[in-house]
Amino acid sequence: MELWFTEKHTPYVRFSIKVDKQLYSGKSEFQRIDVFESKEFGRILTLDGYLMLTEKDEFIYHEMITHVPMSVMPQAQKILIIGGGDGGTAREILRYKTVKRIDLVDIDATVADVCRKYIPQTGASLDDPRVHCHFEDGLKYIRHYENDYDIIIVDSTDPFGPGEGLFTKEFYGNCYKALKDDGIMVNQHESPFYTEDAYAMQRAHKRIFASFPISRIYQAHIPTYPSGHWLFGFASKKYHPIEDADWDKWEKLGIKTRYYNPKLHAGAFALPNYVEEIVREVE
Ligand code: SAM
C-alpha cells in the first residue's frame, strides 16, 4: 500500500509527497493538525491539509524571513513573531545574542505542543528562556502595543481561516503602531504564480504599501510551497532593505546560514517582470 500526502495548489494542480506514516493527527479548536514522516522531506507539518513546513526545506523559509530584517537592524533587541508556532522563526532569531526578548503570539497552543514533540528541529526553540509564548489571536494582541518592538515577523498561515485577520489593513496599521520609530515588519507574502495566490499577495501588498513609508517585496525558492516561488514583504518606517543593510556587522556575527547570504539578500529584491507588474499596479 502506498501513502501519499496531496495538497491542492489550484483546482487543476496537485502536489504530492510519498509518506511513510502519519505520526500525529488531531483537531484543535482552530484547525486540523497533521504530522507525517517522509523519505524525501523528513517530517512534514500540515494545518487543515496545507503544508506548513518540512524538515528538509524549512531552513529556506525561516532564514529568509529572519535574516533579511536582522541584517538591516542587527542591533534589534525586542522581536514579535505573530504565528510561527512551529518555532522555526524563533530558532533563527535566537542565533542573535543581542536579542533580549522574543514574544511569539500564535492562536493555537496545540501547534506548538505538536512541534515540540514531533518536530524538535523547529519546536525546541519554544522552550528557550528568551522566547515568551502567548497563545491568542495576533490581530487582538497587537492592538495593545505602541512603540514597543524593533521587528515584527508575521509568520502566518494563508489569508483564510484563522490567519485571515493577519492580512487586513487594521492589522498592518496596528503593527506600524506597535513598532518603534525605526521598526521593520516582515511577512510571509504568498506566491505570485497561480492566479488566486497572486491576487492575495497583491491585496496584501496594497495594504502594507498604504501603511508603511517603505514597502518592498523579496523572493525565495521554497520547493514544497505552491509553485515553489514564494514572496516575503519588507515594510519599514525608516530603513531601506538594501541600502541600510549592515552586512559587515552581520558577517562579524559569524552566523552560519545554509540559504541566506548578503549577495542573495540584495538579489532577492530583484523581482521578475511579471511580479513587478502585479506589485506596481497597486502602488
Ligand atoms: N511557514 C508557514 C507557511 O507559510 O505555511 C507558516 C507556519 S506557522 C505554523 C503559521 C501559524 O500561524 C500557525 O501555527 C497558526 O496557528 C498561526 N495563526 C493562524 N492565524 C493566527 C492568528 N490570527 N493569530 C496568531 N497566529 C495565527
Side-chain angles (χ1 to χ4, degrees):
M1 189 181 70
E2 290 202 336
L3 279 179
W4 290 78
F5 162 74
T6 295
E7 183 181 323
K8 217 163 111 180
H9 284 181
T10 82
Y12 316 103
V13 178
R14 283 163 196 240
F15 175 77
S16 295
I17 300 175
K18 186 170 186 316
V19 295
D20 295 335
K21 56 182 173 196
Q22 188 165 27
L23 297 173
Y24 175 87
S25 184
K27 214 168 176 341
S28 72
E29 191 187 333
F30 303 99
Q31 53 212 342
R32 180 184 163 156
I33 304 167
D34 292 277
V35 179
F36 302 98
E37 177 89 59
S38 74
K39 285 227 163 38
E40 191 61 54
F41 286 97
R43 294 192 173 181
I44 300 170
L45 171 72
T46 70
L47 296 180
D48 283 338
Y50 292 98
L51 190 150
M52 293 290 119
L53 68 82
T54 79
E55 284 181 325
K56 184 166 179 164
D57 69 350
E58 58 84 8
F59 72 99
I60 304 173
Y61 177 92
H62 293 122
E63 286 188 14
M64 287 302 277
I65 207 167
T66 300
H67 301 301
V68 170
M70 286 302 296
S71 67
V72 176
M73 202 200 268
Q75 72 278 17
Q77 294 190 350
K78 193 172 176 191
I79 317 284
L80 172 63
I81 301 170
I82 302 230
D86 53 80
T89 299
R91 179 196 65 205
E92 289 304 307
I93 295 176
L94 284 169
R95 301 175 75 189
Y96 294 83
K97 301 297 167 229
T98 42
V99 168
K100 293 208 164 106
R101 183 184 174 101
I102 300 168
D103 286 308
L104 185 148
V105 182
D106 196 295
I107 201 165
D108 197 343
T110 317
V111 173
D113 289 341
V114 167
C115 290
R116 278 187 179 106
K117 182 160 181 202
Y118 294 98
I119 315 188
Q121 179 174 314
T122 58
S125 70
L126 299 171
D127 296 320
D128 188 283
R130 285 187 287 161
V131 179
H132 301 262
C133 293
H134 313 262
F135 295 111
E136 59 180 281
D137 188 343
L139 183 65
K140 292 189 183 143
Y141 177 94
I142 197 76
R143 286 183 190 141
H144 307 292
Y145 293 86
E146 208 171 325
N147 196 22
D148 211 326
Y149 290 100
D150 295 307
I151 294 176
I152 298 177
I153 298 184
V154 188
D155 183 4
S156 64
T157 44
D158 298 323
F160 43 80
E164 196 171 347
L166 306 182
F167 289 80
T168 58
K169 250 192 230 160
E170 182 209 333
F171 176 69
Y172 297 133
N174 283 331
C175 284
Y176 183 93
K177 185 165 66 73
L179 284 168
K180 293 188 182 147
D181 288 346
D182 57 354
I184 298 171
M185 179 186 86
V186 166
N187 67 309
Q188 77 87 353
H189 213 311
E190 303 291 307
S191 169
F193 191 71
Y194 295 121
T195 310
E196 244 186 72
D197 300 341
Y199 176 67
M201 87 83 178
Q202 190 188 46
R203 199 176 43 178
H205 181 65
K206 184 176 178 185
R207 292 171 181 169
I208 297 171
F209 190 82
S211 310
F212 283 80
I214 297 167
S215 167
R216 297 280 192 285
I217 284 176
Y218 63 101
Q219 59 191 352
H221 171 236
I222 302 174
T224 56
Y225 283 1
S227 86
H229 184 191
W230 209 253
L231 303 179
F232 298 90
F234 178 102
S236 145
K237 291 190 174 182
K238 183 173 163 192
Y239 298 124
H240 186 277
I242 300 172
E243 287 156 21
D244 291 317
D246 196 340
W247 288 317
D248 285 343
K249 197 164 179 182
W250 188 83
E251 284 191 319
K252 280 194 193 114
L253 296 175
I255 293 174
K256 199 170 173 305
T257 43
R258 288 176 66 202
Y259 190 85
Y260 177 85
N261 62 56
K263 270 192 193 154
L264 185 129
H265 174 140
F269 285 87
L271 300 175
N273 290 353
Y274 85 95
V275 182
E276 278 284 354
E277 269 170 35
I278 300 171
V279 167
R280 286 277 155 75
E281 248 174 49
V282 292
E283 290 188 345

